[in-house]
Amino acid sequence: MRLHQVLRNVDKFRTVFDFGGRDVAHWFPGHMAKGLRQMRANLKKVDCIIEIHDARIPFSGRNPVFQDTLNVRPHLLILNKVDLTDLSNKQRILKTLEKNGVKNVLFTDCLKQRDDNIKKLVPMVMEIIERQPRYNREENIDYCLMVIGVPNVGKSSLINSLRRTNLKKGRASRVGGEPGITKAVLTRIQVCERPRMYLLDTPGVLPPRIENVETGMKLALCGTILDHLVGEDIIADYLLYSLNRLGKFSYVEKYDLQEPSDDIQHVLKRIAVKLGKTQRVKAITGVGNITITIPNYTAAAYDFIRAFRKGELGQVMLD
């Protein structure tokens, strides 16, 4: 089928997403509140703050509480997961961040066995630290960094990548594909020998109240909020809307659709049929109950979302 035929209905797709009065669940478990308190209490031990965030949402979802309470130390923003991100507008990102007062930015892929940008991190941190007084740490020969961020952006992967690059050692922090893996507060982990440098690992902390529904939906789509708190169906629908808005139609080929669609029920039905995701339910009829097989829309939605998070639907920039 020719491209103009495939895209003939795209101009009729949604240009605005209807949240239907929904609100994103507020996810601020006890370990998050405890972590934030202890971060504040341990600032005197810290030379530099390393904030890590998902490069697919470089502006959305950064916790303003970090900026308000932890920004008294030199700061480096790491935008991770660049392998999943469309960086064609990288300069726009840097200029926008600079306008917001963020001048030190590094793009990384912490799951990559060798990431050249990870090698730049220690020299970059040393340069940032040397620009400002070390407060009460002037006589310390070792350096202490605090790594912060919202859940599931790659804090533990960053630590493991630094150890692999600088110490030739294996992982020290558990990693996972869902938010809330790290619950321990301020575990001290060595990441470099020369200079001797340690990182304080922290749990991911979301703001107690997410600023707006669309920001919350972007956070949910990137896996920083547990799916069931928002709903797989609405996350999948927002994903479809976002892909269509950005002209990213790789889902058509992946799930054997005939053309792009703006109807999430149609897309999920095709995904369920292709992957054999069905469920048996009882149906009430005039002559008694029967069991029928129907598409499992929840399982299809989960597969659609997971494919996005793994980069199987192409590189996407949501902001």
Side-chain angles (χ1 to χ4, degrees):
M1 186 176 294
R2 293 183 179 181
L3 183 62
H4 73 274
Q5 293 176 306
V6 170
L7 302 180
R8 64 183 181 272
N9 293 320
V10 168
D11 59 346
K12 301 176 184 177
F13 287 176
R14 292 170 289 181
T15 57
V16 176
F17 189 81
D18 181 10
F19 293 99
R22 292 181 177 89
D23 194 7
V24 177
H26 303 146
W27 193 55
F28 199 70
H31 75 271
M32 288 191 182
K34 178 182 178 183
L36 190 54
R37 287 195 302 270
Q38 293 199 13
M39 288 179 211
R40 291 168 178 157
N42 282 270
L43 271 180
K44 62 184 179 181
K45 303 176 184 176
V46 173
D47 293 301
C48 183
I49 297 289
I50 306 294
E51 180 188 352
I52 185 165
H53 198 62
D54 195 314
R56 292 170 292 184
I57 47 172
F59 315 123
S60 296
R62 288 180 59 212
N63 191 337
V65 176
F66 292 152
Q67 299 167 52
D68 294 341
T69 64
L70 302 178
N71 216 20
V72 296
R73 288 291 184 272
H75 180 277
L76 171 63
L77 174 63
I78 292 180
L79 293 175
N80 191 36
K81 304 188 180 183
V82 294
D83 57 312
L84 306 177
T85 311
D86 180 0
L87 284 181
S88 56
N89 287 320
K90 182 177 178 179
Q91 291 306 313
R92 176 186 67 89
I93 296 169
L94 292 173
K95 287 180 180 179
T96 303
L97 289 170
E98 187 171 3
K99 286 181 181 178
N100 293 327
V102 182
K103 297 181 180 179
N104 305 308
V105 183
L106 193 63
F107 294 85
T108 63
D109 175 6
C110 290
L111 291 181
K112 194 175 180 181
Q113 283 299 310
R114 288 190 175 184
D115 182 0
D116 290 338
N117 280 344
I118 290 294
K119 296 178 182 178
K120 298 176 184 177
L121 190 145
V122 170
M124 195 170 180
V125 165
M126 291 301 298
E127 182 183 347
I128 294 169
I129 292 173
E130 288 170 1
R131 290 181 205 153
Q132 301 183 37
R134 289 188 71 198
Y135 302 95
N136 62 331
R137 293 184 50 78
E138 202 64 55
E139 297 179 359
N140 288 70
I141 61 172
D142 61 333
Y143 294 87
C144 184
L145 319 177
M146 182 185 290
V147 58
I148 63 174
V150 299
N152 202 30
V153 290
K155 293 182 297 298
S156 297
S157 296
L158 170 67
I159 293 172
N160 294 333
S161 185
L162 283 169
R163 284 173 58 82
R164 186 168 61 243
T165 300
N166 298 316
L167 298 176
K168 312 303 179 187
K169 292 185 178 181
R171 71 182 192 180
S173 291
R174 182 184 170 204
V175 298
E178 64 181 37
I181 291 294
T182 301
K183 293 185 172 63
V185 177
L186 299 176
T187 303
R188 192 168 186 259
I189 301 168
Q190 185 175 3
V191 293
C192 189
E193 180 60 37
R194 295 182 181 178
R196 188 177 301 162
M197 190 172 286
Y198 297 87
L199 272 181
L200 297 179
D201 194 9
T202 63
V205 177
L206 286 168
R209 182 170 180 83
I210 296 168
E211 59 187 42
N212 60 61
V213 180
E214 186 145 22
T215 293
M217 199 60 66
K218 290 177 182 178
L219 286 166
L221 186 51
C222 292
T224 67
I225 302 173
L226 289 171
D227 292 342
H228 72 270
L229 295 177
V230 181
E232 288 86 350
D233 57 341
I234 182 70
I235 297 174
D237 194 18
Y238 184 76
L239 171 58
L240 180 64
Y241 158 78
S242 298
L243 293 174
N244 288 336
R245 177 176 58 86
L246 295 169
K248 305 284 187 176
F249 302 120
S250 58
Y251 69 89
V252 174
E253 182 178 356
K254 178 174 176 60
Y255 295 115
D256 293 339
L257 276 70
Q258 291 185 339
E259 61 184 6
S261 173
D262 201 31
D263 181 352
I264 188 60
Q265 294 302 311
H266 170 70
V267 172
L268 294 182
K269 183 176 181 180
R270 291 299 310 160
I271 294 173
V273 169
K274 176 176 173 60
L275 302 179
K277 295 184 180 295
T278 59
Q279 57 185 340
R280 295 174 66 81
V281 298
K282 287 185 179 180
I284 300 175
T285 70
V287 293
N289 297 346
I290 61 173
T291 300
I292 60 174
T293 300
I294 64 171
N296 188 329
Y297 288 95
T298 299
Y302 177 72
D303 189 272
F304 189 37
I305 296 165
R306 184 176 59 179
F308 164 76
R309 291 173 182 164
K310 294 171 67 177
E312 295 173 1
L313 302 180
Q315 294 178 315
V316 177
M317 172 67 70
L318 295 172
D319 278 345

